[in-house]
Amino acid sequence: MEQQLDFLVDKVVAELQKKLGEVSEQAPSPKAETGLIQLRSEPKAEPVANATTAQAPVVNEQPAPSTEPERTTHVPNPKYKEGLDELLSSTPARIGVWRTGVRPLTKTMLELRRDHAAAVDAVYGEVSQAVLDQFSLFTVETQYDNTENYLKRPDMGRVLTEEGVRLLQERGQKKPQVQIVVSDGLSAAAVDANLKDVLPSLMDSLKSYGLTCGTPFFIKGGRVASMDHVGEILEPEVLVLLIGERPGLVTAHSMSAYMCYRPRKGMVESERTVISNIHRQGTSPVEAGAHIGTILSKMLEQKASGVKLVL
């Protein structure tokens, strides 16, 4: 999906360049039009990566399914190019984007608006039922009520509804060795993007350590501390909550895994262990699943989690 969006951004920029070129050719005053082109178009010395140079892309053309493109800067003649290149390679942050007149380049603005829209969609979206069905996850809800309330009242995302408690008591396994819980949190898109890789890898890892697992399920409208309420109901030895992180402008698909030994109400954050930034450009989902199993095994051995756990 992200590669397709990148392709669309490049396509729009290429179309703009083509139209600006046509305007320049038809203009009666080349000198006046040159000023307009310099103000509105990308610097000609720095062509947009992946955009066509002569013609607009064909409608049916597909984005390349290959690797991440190398990041380059649009800054003309940087004083310390090696340092700028090193900085670009070390962070996905928007640096060295340069400008046209007093505003950012067109492609930079399009990418910014695209990523902001993806972040909003992640918060207000819902996890695909097909993904939940794929892993036979039944759903319980917190008292969040709706998304607006969820954002304003985090406390209501920490407690299950009475119906959720009843359903969990009926379908959940009491006192399992390991309990796996999935929640949308602040990014439903993170669950859709990563669960199909994280969960099978985690199950394989638990099996390799000889650990047994209770009945996995999904919490809609959950906050991190909802794992404490689940701990009170099912009383697992260890619990892992796979939850969507707050989306940013680098990615809206980031997931975290919060783990704790014998979760219960009143736990403090230092008693939790977390793996964050689980997504394809961060911590690999498959590797994260395997590592979660290793950490849960150590928790059971040491009967501890958070700052008391020795990894």
Side-chain angles (χ1 to χ4, degrees):
M1 177 62 72
E2 289 183 357
Q3 289 179 339
Q4 292 175 343
L5 291 175
D6 286 337
F7 171 73
L8 290 175
V9 169
D10 290 336
K11 182 178 177 181
V12 170
V13 171
E15 290 285 358
L16 288 173
Q17 289 177 327
K18 180 181 177 182
K19 290 185 180 299
L20 286 167
E22 293 173 352
V23 170
S24 179
E25 292 174 358
Q26 298 171 2
S29 174
K31 184 176 181 181
E33 281 299 316
T34 299
L36 178 63
I37 298 302
Q38 289 176 345
L39 176 63
R40 295 187 177 180
S41 65
E42 314 294 348
K44 293 183 179 181
E46 299 290 344
V48 178
N50 299 328
T52 56
T53 56
Q55 297 180 347
V58 180
V59 174
N60 294 327
E61 183 180 348
Q62 295 298 321
S66 62
T67 58
E68 288 287 316
E70 182 181 353
R71 297 189 68 204
T72 58
T73 178
H74 289 287
V75 177
N77 304 315
K79 186 174 182 180
Y80 182 29
K81 186 177 186 305
E82 294 78 8
L84 182 56
D85 290 341
E86 182 179 351
L87 195 58
L88 282 168
S89 65
S90 66
T91 175
R94 286 175 170 82
I95 56 177
V97 295
W98 200 233
R99 56 186 169 78
T100 296
V102 296
R103 67 162 180 80
L105 302 179
T106 300
K107 184 176 181 182
T108 300
M109 285 303 302
L110 289 173
E111 290 174 341
L112 184 65
R113 295 182 65 179
R114 175 203 66 189
D115 294 339
H116 180 264
V120 173
D121 287 346
V123 172
Y124 285 89
E126 293 189 1
V127 174
S128 169
Q129 187 60 45
V131 172
L132 302 180
D133 292 342
Q134 180 180 351
F135 298 104
S136 302
L137 302 179
F138 67 92
T139 300
V140 300
E141 294 191 20
T142 66
Q143 297 178 5
Y144 79 104
D145 189 40
N146 57 63
T147 302
E148 293 296 333
N149 199 49
Y150 175 85
L151 296 173
K152 297 173 183 177
R153 292 285 305 275
D155 56 306
M156 299 187 74
R158 299 168 186 154
V159 182
L160 302 184
T161 61
E162 291 183 3
E163 176 62 22
V165 172
R166 183 193 64 77
L167 188 60
L168 197 54
Q169 290 172 335
E170 288 180 359
R171 302 185 60 176
Q173 178 184 329
K174 286 284 286 185
K175 297 186 177 181
Q177 192 173 27
V178 177
Q179 178 63 55
I180 299 174
V181 182
V182 180
S183 181
D184 46 5
L186 284 164
S187 177
V191 177
D192 286 343
N194 300 301
L195 190 64
K196 60 182 179 294
D197 293 322
V198 173
L199 192 52
S201 176
L202 171 55
M203 298 299 288
D204 287 345
S205 182
L206 295 177
K207 185 177 180 180
S208 70
Y209 284 106
L211 303 179
T212 59
C213 182
T215 307
F217 64 95
F218 174 72
I219 297 180
K220 186 174 182 179
R223 292 281 183 173
V224 172
S226 62
M227 63 196 301
D228 302 346
H229 195 186
V230 173
E232 293 279 337
I233 300 168
L234 297 181
E235 302 179 47
E237 284 292 296
V238 292
L239 184 148
V240 54
L241 174 66
L242 304 172
I243 188 169
E245 291 180 0
R246 178 180 287 104
L249 294 177
V250 171
T251 180
H253 297 158
S254 188
M255 172 185 281
S256 288
Y258 285 86
M259 297 160 275
C260 62
Y261 178 75
R262 294 189 176 178
R264 61 208 174 275
K265 288 185 177 180
M267 290 191 71
V268 295
E269 296 308 309
S270 61
E271 295 180 87
R272 309 186 204 277
T273 300
V274 61
I275 299 175
S276 61
N277 292 303
I278 301 172
H279 57 92
R280 302 198 187 287
Q281 288 77 47
T283 303
S284 165
V286 173
E287 292 181 6
H291 190 45
I292 291 167
T294 300
I295 293 177
L296 294 175
S297 175
K298 291 183 179 293
M299 285 183 178
L300 290 168
E301 290 175 3
Q302 300 177 30
K303 302 185 185 305
S305 60
V307 296
K308 296 180 180 179
L309 182 67
V310 179
L311 296 174

